Amino acid sequence: MRRIVLLAPNGQVGFELQRSLAPLGLLFCLSRADVDFSDIATTSARVLALQPDVIVNAAAWTAVDKAETEQDAAYLLNAALPGALAAIAQQRNGWLVHYSTDYVYPGTGEQPWREDDATAPLSVYGASKLAGDLAIRQSGVRHLIFRTSWVYAARGNNFMKTMLKLAAQRESLNVVADQFGAPTSARLIANVTAFALQQVLNAPPAENGEGGNDKSGVYHLAAAGATNWYQFAGAIFGLARQAGLPLALQPDQFNPITTAQFPTPAQRPANSRLDLSKLEQTFGLTLPDWHSQLKLTFDEYYSAMSGL
Ligand SMILES: NC(=O)c1ccc[n+]([C@@H]2O[C@H](COP(=O)([O-])OP(=O)(O)OC[C@H]3O[C@@H](n4cnc5c(N)ncnc54)[C@H](OP(=O)(O)O)[C@@H]3O)[C@@H](O)[C@H]2O)c1
């Protein structure tokens, strides 16, 4: 039976992957409780000992602002770790699945980014993630790198939960309205990952014995459509009100602001729109609109919170 090793099963995406990868083979999980992934040598030894056919790396340094001052730590997790995992997957003649980000692009213009557009990260986080992508590609390993955006889930730390907490506590709130992208649920990312992975693993062997290899590459994986953080927050509050959640936030005190009015240590791209056509065409998928995924994720969060 195929052996799959999942790193970081307790992150937003990692948790959902436990569910969606389970039917694809024998799933082994490695978390911080097993090994500190910034110890690359020990992590590599633990992964190799599990004799993986597929490695799925959901681990990352995701503290975007903190990465500006803790560069070495961010590069260890986001660049050195994927490079080491690529070497193991290559040695095992297997596949590596990895996640990357819209932050590798410069955020200029209004057109959705395509996978072959020039990268130019604005932040240490973005640069460290790009270094991870390059390490994987240069290793020659068969890989699926999914660049995603604005990840949220019913669990973990994310924008949806932060907004709900703030709206419950505060009467007024300002949210940035000049950064555009697609909120993407961790559940969608995990489901699409399993679907794509299943296709490459089960591809009939080509004449050269390398079935599925032609699908190895970088893909954008996000919900369809685009919005800004202010509108995203508005949609979250709409669902909360419909569900009868008590919000302190006064509708007339919920204000759009500019990025310049909300300075952060790390610069964020203004345009995070991702062109999804490569993923859709290669794997025969249709990515759903972000609204429908938000409703599903909100409902899951609300059910858990209210004990339904
Ligand atoms: N979040 C976003 O908005 C976003 C946007 C675009 C792309 N992405 C990419 O999507 C992928 C998944 O992100 P996510 O939102 O699921 O991230 P997340 O919730 O922050 O999960 C990251 C996981 O990595 C683990 N981890 C970090 N450092 C570790 C260490 N030294 N040792 C062991 N485990 C460690 C964390 O463990 P602990 O829980 O124990 O800390 C956590 O389980 C990442 O590659 C990220 O770069 C995310």
Side-chain angles (χ1 to χ4, degrees), residues 73-300:
Y75 268 85
L76 258 185
L77 255 288
N78 292 347
L81 177 66
L85 296 175
I88 296 170
Q90 175 86 316
Q91 181 185 336
R92 298 274 314 152
N93 193 25
W95 280 81
L96 174 62
V97 179
H98 178 72
Y99 299 92
S100 184
T101 169
D102 52 305
Y103 282 29
V104 300
Y105 299 112
T108 49
E110 294 186 354
Q111 290 302 310
W113 298 102
R114 294 174 55 89
E115 288 84 349
D116 51 6
D117 280 333
T119 50
L122 302 172
S123 61
V124 170
Y125 168 76
S128 69
K129 292 294 294 183
L130 179 60
D133 294 6
L134 294 176
I136 293 169
R137 293 170 78 172
Q138 282 164 6
S139 74
V141 73
R142 293 183 291 175
H143 62 271
L144 297 173
I145 297 174
F146 295 115
R147 287 185 180 152
T148 187
S149 62
W150 299 18
V151 179
Y152 67 101
R155 35 178 294 144
N157 296 320
N158 58 64
F159 184 82
M160 181 187 82
K161 290 175 62 184
T162 302
M163 285 299 117
L164 288 170
K165 200 187 302 171
L166 289 176
Q169 294 165 352
R170 293 194 195 168
E171 292 194 350
S172 71
L173 197 57
N174 299 333
V175 179
V176 169
D178 57 359
Q179 293 170 22
F180 294 86
T184 306
S185 74
R187 177 81 58 102
L188 178 67
I189 295 171
N191 287 345
V192 171
T193 298
F195 191 90
L197 185 58
Q198 207 254 2
Q199 281 195 37
V200 298
L201 294 175
N202 292 345
E207 278 177 16
N208 61 4
E210 296 184 343
N213 288 11
D214 56 336
K215 292 188 168 72
S216 175
V218 177
Y219 296 91
H220 289 161
L221 195 183
T227 186
N228 61 49
W229 293 110
Y230 173 75
Q231 289 172 342
F232 182 31
I236 294 165
F237 300 148
L239 290 169
R241 288 199 177 91
Q242 264 175 31
L245 280 182
L247 300 185
L249 182 65
Q250 301 301 307
D252 60 350
Q253 292 185 54
F254 169 47
N255 308 306
I257 57 166
T258 64
T259 302
Q261 290 172 294
F262 188 70
T264 50
Q267 198 183 335
R268 266 79 174 165
N271 175 23
S272 282
R273 299 172 182 89
L274 298 176
D275 185 313
L276 307 174
S277 50
K278 182 181 174 192
L279 180 75
E280 292 188 325
Q281 283 162 18
T282 305
F283 295 103
L285 292 165
T286 304
L287 275 313
D289 186 85
W290 67 267
H291 289 95
S292 63
Q293 303 305 296
L294 172 61
K295 169 95 173 86
L296 289 169
T297 312
F298 175 84
D299 285 351
E300 186 192 345

